[in-house]
Amino acid sequence: MEGNLEIIKVENISYTYRSKYQTTQAIKNIACTFETGVMYSIIGKSGSGKSTFLSLLAGMDLPSSGRILIENSDMAKIDRDKYRMHQVSIVYQAFHLFPLLTVTENVMFPMELQKKNRKLARQKAEALLLSVGLSEKAFQKYPGMLSGGEQQRCAIARAMASEGQILLADEPTGNLDTENEKIIVALMKRLAHEEKKAVIIVTHNEKVACKSDVILKMQDGRLLEVEP
Amino acid sequence: MHIAIQNIIRNRKKSFITVVICFLLTAAFHIYFGNMKSNKEQLQSLPERIPVYCQITNPSGSRSTGISIDRNITEGLLNSPHIKNAVYGVRMIGGIGNFSLEEWEQNLTLCVEAVNDLNGIPGLTWEDIQLDGDADDFFHSSEPVCIVRNSLMEKNNWKAGQEIPLNLWYYDYDDIEGIHGIPLEVPDVKIAGSMDYLSTETGQMPPDILLPIGLADAIYRRQEVPLQMSFFSFYVADPLQLNAFKEEMKSLGLTEKNGTARDSYQGSALTVQDMVFISLAENLQETIRIFKSFFGVICITILGVGYIASTLLMASREKEFALMRAQGAGKMQCIKILWLEQLCLALTGIIIGDITCLAFQNMDIALITDIVIAGGYMSGCTLALSRIGRIKTMQLLFRAE
Ligand SMILES: Nc1ncnc2c1ncn2[C@@H]1O[C@H](COP(=O)(O)OP(=O)(O)OP(=O)(O)O)[C@@H](O)[C@H]1O
Ligand SMILES: [Mg+2]
């Protein structure tokens, strides 16, 4: 697409989980590119390696072989802490909110790491929370007191807070009712098309996948086909 | 930093546990160090509380007075750095004025004793003595002065300040003849004071006339008679060096008393009343030794407890750690936050422990304790944190749930 930046380039990566008792090759030779301004969906069976792929894109670890280029620089060579802080944000399948921080503070956290003004951060956090459909009542609650869907929306708000160019979301609509699902998908789409982010979501939901611009399918650690 | 404090407050329960653990460790350590210190102090003060008393006796230990102590032994003892508060004296017999040798039986009726200290006369106290001038000076003088029993003063109608001709005989001890008196000198001595005491508990005949030992020494020298003390007792200067003391006593020719030795008047044995001292000192030293040998164990225990406690408390924070990392916080930054948090808690616990224990302990111990515990706990904590730091963020966050 025109005007879009090719922000991530994946070059034949593989990834193997090594634990004491077994090794699992979760990613096998994936190559693809991601552009800003596009919303991608990754679909695939459970255990096919979607979350693993996403976390590699998020720079949580380096691939066992192959490389990932972020704006043409090798992920292995850049400061991945900075990359995570400024360029990429992620919504986890299991939300992973800070249990000891309130909803608002959770959303403020990435901004505080970026050393933004606290007051502005709070305002922005509250705006983001409203935009994902959370009510003010929830702001001062702890994540443990929220429903799954509410936690998920809080996690999405936190991911949007860091203003990185890449937004990764693992099953962002998994716990939502149809109405909230629509809100979130619309939000994601707006982020991709208007704020020119590269939005990559993992989903099981056909409807959600269909709304995205590009659908990628994973099977047994491989990227099968790219459906336009 | 403010994140650390926020965590402490939000993690109330765990924070509290950490504080309590550090508090308990501090208290335990205080007790340990406090005990060790008080034992050391007891050992140091033992010589004062339990002085070691020594007496020269005859070889069988049956007599401690009326014996004859060789001049060399006396001098050796007086020059020794190991003894203090020596009390010694010589007992003589005396009469008034000149009389011929044959008349001794009627005339030699007085018991005369020259001592260096009032303690040399059992049963006699300063209250029994009326003396012109400084009482202490009397025993340190070598002037011809004496203190006379009141009854004797009255009998002879003597007045204080008067000079009397004192016919002095000294005792000679001889294995063949036993005890016998030999004329010494007839000095004129001034009556410096009088004394009045009824009886002594020892059953020993109380002296009629007291002389300063310096005077006796001068007279003996004049007559070229070796001055042999009749009794000699003292305290060991530093009982903690009992062995060095005993070595020196041996070199002076003093033997240990031996119950089977033949009865004699020879003052050549030494009785050291050190049983109580030795057993107490040994007890204390043993206790201190045990305490010291536990030091390593205790340090390791603290390190271990610190490590286990912080590992357990940290285990639940793994996810938090990974999450902070995932949001882009650096590894060191994350470790720093948690480390600071633990440090604050540990210090709080330690300080509370200090304050609690300060009532019966002093500050220098507190400092050692603090350093050891803070060091122990925090190094355990650091280990636990570095372990967490090594875990891959990815494995924590993407573990199938
Ligand atoms: N921490 C881990 N350690 C070892 N193996 C792992 C780990 N996480 C995932 N795996 C394995 O890697 C493979 C891919 O897992 P992944 O979580 O990427 O699948 P997924 O496509 O996200 O599945 P789901 O749709 O259920 O979320 C699986 O076989 C899984 O067992
Ligand atoms: Mg997954």
Side-chain angles (χ1 to χ4, degrees):
Chain A
M1 268 166 257
E2 278 163 45
N4 290 342
L5 180 71
E6 194 181 281
I7 193 160
I8 308 178
K9 191 157 200 257
V10 177
E11 295 182 347
N12 278 323
I13 59 162
S14 300
Y15 188 83
T16 310
Y17 283 106
R18 278 175 223 286
S19 70
K20 258 182 205 160
Y21 311 104
Q22 66 183 77
T23 57
T24 316
Q25 199 183 359
I27 302 285
K28 298 165 188 161
N29 276 321
I30 290 183
C32 60
T33 55
F34 296 97
E35 292 175 7
T36 55
V38 180
M39 177 162 146
Y40 299 86
S41 282
I42 301 176
I43 55 170
K45 276 198 218 133
S46 182
S48 56
K50 306 182 296 291
S51 297
T52 310
F53 184 44
L54 218 53
S55 66
L56 288 175
L57 294 179
M60 299 292 175
D61 202 356
L62 292 171
S64 315
S65 68
R67 38 179 214 158
I68 299 174
L69 300 175
I70 305 294
E71 289 181 326
N72 290 322
S73 42
D74 189 347
M75 175 110 80
K77 289 180 184 134
I78 60 172
D79 180 345
R80 282 185 292 137
D81 285 336
K82 285 235 174 70
Y83 169 64
R84 285 199 295 261
M85 192 191 293
H86 295 290
Q87 287 183 280
V88 71
S89 48
I90 183 162
V91 180
Y92 305 92
Q93 203 166 4
F95 326 134
H96 290 315
L97 296 169
F98 291 104
L100 297 174
L101 300 183
T102 62
V103 167
T104 317
E105 284 165 340
N106 260 289
V107 180
M108 284 164 68
F109 187 88
M111 296 187 268
E112 280 186 31
L113 268 186
Q114 291 170 359
K115 305 231 163 23
K116 291 211 171 125
N117 178 294
R118 247 181 104 76
K119 216 170 144 197
L120 291 178
R122 183 173 293 276
Q123 283 171 1
K124 189 175 169 195
E126 287 173 355
L128 284 171
L129 284 167
L130 288 173
S131 78
V132 293
L134 277 174
S135 67
E136 272 175 50
K137 270 184 283 173
F139 290 0
Q140 294 310 316
K141 285 185 178 169
Y142 291 100
M145 303 193 271
L146 299 181
S147 73
E150 286 169 321
Q151 287 185 50
Q152 187 146 44
R153 280 177 282 162
C154 175
I156 293 167
R158 182 177 65 182
M160 285 157 60
S162 68
E163 294 186 323
Q165 275 187 297
I166 305 161
L167 177 70
L168 308 173
D170 201 345
E171 300 278 359
T173 57
N175 291 279
L176 301 182
D177 54 53
T178 9
E179 195 171 322
N180 276 307
E181 184 187 291
K182 273 183 194 154
I183 296 175
I184 295 300
V185 173
L187 197 68
M188 298 270 174
K189 229 174 161 162
R190 190 179 63 78
L191 288 174
H193 295 162
E194 283 166 33
E195 299 196 11
K196 296 291 174 198
K197 294 187 189 220
V199 177
I200 306 169
I201 60 178
V202 166
T203 183
H204 279 118
N205 190 323
E206 294 273 324
K207 275 189 279 171
V208 174
C210 289
K211 297 240 173 70
S212 57
D213 307 313
V214 179
I215 301 175
L216 307 170
K217 193 171 178 200
M218 283 193 71
Q219 193 177 330
D220 282 337
R222 290 177 211 280
L223 206 55
L224 273 191
E225 59 206 81
V226 181
E227 295 170 18
Chain B
M1 185 66 200
H2 85 268
I3 301 181
I5 291 170
Q6 228 171 38
N7 280 344
I8 291 175
I9 298 166
R10 299 234 160 101
N11 254 324
R12 265 175 235 105
K13 247 189 212 157
K14 278 169 198 155
S15 304
F16 182 71
I17 294 173
T18 309
V19 171
V20 167
I21 288 174
C22 287
F23 166 74
L24 290 178
L25 285 178
T26 314
F29 224 57
H30 267 299
I31 292 166
Y32 166 79
F33 267 127
N35 264 321
M36 185 144 100
K37 193 169 176 195
S38 89
N39 270 303
K40 274 185 183 161
E41 281 168 354
Q42 274 183 47
L43 187 65
Q44 288 305 318
S45 69
L46 202 58
E48 266 154 56
R49 289 186 296 118
I50 303 175
V52 176
Y53 179 72
C54 302
Q55 262 186 333
I56 305 289
T57 60
N58 64 351
S60 67
S62 60
R63 290 170 205 271
S64 59
T65 58
I67 51 175
S68 162
I69 303 165
D70 192 89
R71 204 183 163 80
N72 291 334
I73 293 182
T74 313
E75 267 168 15
L77 286 174
L78 288 177
N79 289 328
S80 165
H82 291 293
I83 81 163
K84 63 174 185 188
N85 301 343
V87 173
Y88 49 92
V90 60
R91 179 164 276 229
M92 294 168 281
I93 32 176
I96 305 302
N98 283 304
F99 46 85
S100 66
L101 279 181
E102 290 72 37
E103 294 169 307
W104 70 269
E105 221 164 340
Q106 305 90 282
N107 285 291
L108 277 185
T109 52
L110 302 178
C111 172
V112 181
E113 201 147 348
V115 291
N116 76 322
D117 193 301
L118 189 63
N119 290 331
I121 314 295
L124 186 61
T125 65
W126 285 113
E127 278 144 44
D128 303 320
I129 294 178
Q130 296 85 48
L131 195 66
D132 295 335
D134 194 349
D136 238 8
D137 283 349
F138 177 82
F139 289 105
H140 293 134
S141 114
S142 51
E143 299 292 308
V145 287
C146 65
I147 295 174
V148 182
R149 253 181 111 147
N150 265 332
S151 53
L152 192 64
M153 299 268 281
E154 277 159 27
K155 203 173 103 194
N156 291 297
N157 212 3
W158 288 336
K159 294 274 173 302
Q162 191 178 339
E163 284 199 350
I164 52 167
L166 190 59
N167 195 332
L168 284 174
W169 290 39
Y170 70 95
Y171 283 114
D172 194 32
Y173 302 92
D174 181 312
D175 280 350
I176 306 150
E177 291 183 62
I179 319 171
H180 53 101
I182 299 174
L184 185 64
E185 198 182 283
V186 192
D188 284 331
V189 286
K190 193 175 126 186
I191 301 177
S194 59
M195 58 185 172
D196 195 10
Y197 64 111
L198 296 171
S199 66
T200 67
E201 292 132 34
T202 55
Q204 199 191 336
M205 201 184 6
D208 301 301
I209 295 178
L210 269 186
L211 304 177
I213 192 75
L215 175 59
D217 192 45
I219 294 171
Y220 273 71
R221 276 180 204 281
R222 254 194 322 265
Q223 302 302 326
E224 291 177 351
V225 175
L227 172 55
Q228 299 193 319
M229 296 298 168
S230 315
F231 64 89
F232 198 113
S233 69
F234 58 88
Y235 289 93
V236 177
D238 182 4
L240 293 175
Q241 292 174 10
L242 211 53
N243 287 330
F245 158 76
K246 285 185 175 171
E247 277 306 309
E248 176 157 4
M249 295 302 107
K250 225 179 258 172
S251 74
L252 288 177
L254 288 166
T255 58
E256 273 177 47
K257 74 170 179 189
N258 171 5
T260 61
R262 200 170 53 88
D263 191 25
S264 83
Y265 294 98
Q266 188 70 42
S268 61
L270 182 69
T271 311
V272 184
Q273 289 175 7
D274 56 1
M275 292 271 281
V276 179
F277 181 84
I278 289 179
S279 71
L280 278 176
E282 275 177 354
N283 263 333
L284 284 173
Q285 271 163 347
E286 177 68 8
T287 315
I288 291 170
R289 202 185 57 73
I290 291 174
F291 267 111
K292 276 190 179 153
S293 67
F294 267 107
F295 183 75
V297 176
I298 284 192
C299 284
I300 291 170
T301 309
I302 284 179
L303 224 124
V305 170
Y307 177 68
I308 292 168
S310 47
T311 312
L312 290 181
L313 292 171
M314 282 293 156
S316 56
R317 314 288 296 276
E318 277 179 0
K319 203 177 113 180
E320 201 182 321
F321 187 91
L323 256 174
M324 287 201 275
R325 296 268 292 135
Q327 298 291 328
K331 190 165 169 175
M332 286 326 286
Q333 196 183 354
C334 295
I335 289 182
K336 209 175 83 190
I337 289 174
L338 291 180
W339 199 84
L340 267 177
E341 177 191 320
Q342 291 296 306
L343 184 68
C344 287
L345 293 175
L347 286 182
T348 311
I350 288 169
I351 288 167
I352 294 175
D354 280 348
I355 292 170
T356 320
C357 294
L358 217 60
F360 44 90
Q361 225 106 87
N362 35 356
M363 217 45 213
D364 57 328
I365 303 179
L367 209 68
I368 307 174
T369 316
D370 295 357
I371 292 169
V372 172
I373 293 178
Y377 187 82
M378 288 321 289
S379 51
C381 185
T382 310
L383 271 169
L385 277 174
S386 71
R387 199 182 57 82
I388 292 181
R390 276 201 304 276
I391 295 177
K392 281 194 177 158
T393 318
M394 188 153 167
Q395 314 221 329
L396 271 173
L397 293 184
F398 292 89
R399 196 171 281 161
E401 295 193 22

